[in-house]
Amino acid sequence: MPESGQKATRDHITEPAPAVPAARRAGLLVTLVLGGLTALPPLSMDMYLPALPEVTRSLAAPAATIQLTLTACLAGMALGQLVVGPMSDKWGRRRPLLAGMVVYVLATAVCALAPSIELLIAFRLLQGLAGAAAIVIARAVVRDLYDGVEMARFFSTLMLISGVAPVVAPLIGGQILRFTDWRGVFHVLAVTGVLLTLVAHRFLHETLPPERRQEGGVGQALRTMRGLLADRVFTGYMLAGGLAFAALFAYISASPFVVQEIYGASPQTFSLLFGLNSVGLVAVGQINGKLLVGRVSLDKALGLGLSVILLAATALLLMTTGVFGEVGLVPIAAGLFVLMSAMGLAMPNTNAQALMRTPHAAGSASALLGTSSFLIGAVASPLVGIAGEHTAVPMAVVQLACAVAALAAFLLLCRPWRAAPEKTAA
């Protein structure tokens, strides 16, 4: 793209969003709908986890092949956002969302009936592709309705609703398996999808008026994304958020082995610690939204969150490599709790700061934010087990590397000391 074209694109990206009438802002019911939409992807992934051994027996497939049903869903969620995001910028939010939800329900229903592992993998991929509409459009709707610190506050509120989903999803899945087989998990997900579709159709009105929609087809969508990535500051926030999410993903992937196999905790203790860490993340997210936002700049809150993640990851690496001698579960659990809690500062503020630069391409920007997080997380996740299941060092190394890279992206690309003053209201 010529330099003049790049400059025009960046100027367009950073153009302030028009003021949003108070009537268009989200009421409690719409907030719950958006929270439900952002919770749907983790529900789709994690409710299914307790059923994996039963699926292995039922479909007579090896465990490695059954794991592909998780990989397919995750890949679908990552790639689907790149498709749905630009669609929502062109056609508005409602139509792509409702179409994606209908396809999600149909794909989930087929998963419940799948007679073979090959069909299950294929429709888990489709389920992820369609389910991506929920999370990418929910984030774009927030951008349509809010700006500045109000957007950061709303993302913190969404974290309160959606942050508990990864915690309760396996518990719900386990309870479902008490009354039915693994297919019942997909039946429940299908019914959940139907309810969310009906509620979104009834209460979630269009938030992107025709005059703010983008024209053009695939070529224009690609040019828009290229323009977004050419914006150094947007890319910095995107990478900082994606790398912080990768540190979180490393914890999710490794913690069952670290807590139970290495430190000898029971499954009940693991569940308790997992729940406490999630409570910490949600609680700090609420502190961010209720106390810090509006009093402290978003960049300062984000920088604090990334710095705490870095310090916690450093402490975990020192403990797992034996620098402090042999440590027990309590210090390790404390380090993981601090790291997880600091995500409550990093995640909502990276989203808010990135989307504040994209008032006329919120769907495409939301797609890039979501896809980068899923892809970076998917790369980081297998690395935590590279040295086997009997050492926690790889987990700490991956988390520290992600924390260093996230803070470097924030400082070198976003250059927060040069940032313009933030608006205090939309």
Side-chain angles (χ1 to χ4, degrees), residues 347-403:
M347 294 167 66
N349 291 321
T350 50
N351 282 334
Q353 289 288 68
L355 289 172
M356 258 193 280
R357 301 182 63 80
T358 61
H360 299 290
S364 297
S366 177
L368 288 173
L369 290 172
T371 299
S372 63
S373 293
F374 275 106
L375 291 181
I376 297 174
V379 171
S381 180
L383 298 179
V384 300
I386 199 168
E389 302 175 0
H390 304 294
T391 174
V393 172
M395 177 193 72
V397 169
V398 170
Q399 289 176 328
L400 181 58
C402 290

Side-chain angles (χ1 to χ4, degrees), residues 52 77 81 86 95 157 211 224 240 257 271 287 289-290 322 343 362 380 417:
L52 288 179
M77 289 178 186
Q81 295 186 61
R95 283 191 289 173
T157 301
E211 63 270 16
T224 299
F257 301 103
S271 298
I287 292 172
K290 305 297 184 184
M343 296 290 173
W417 57 89

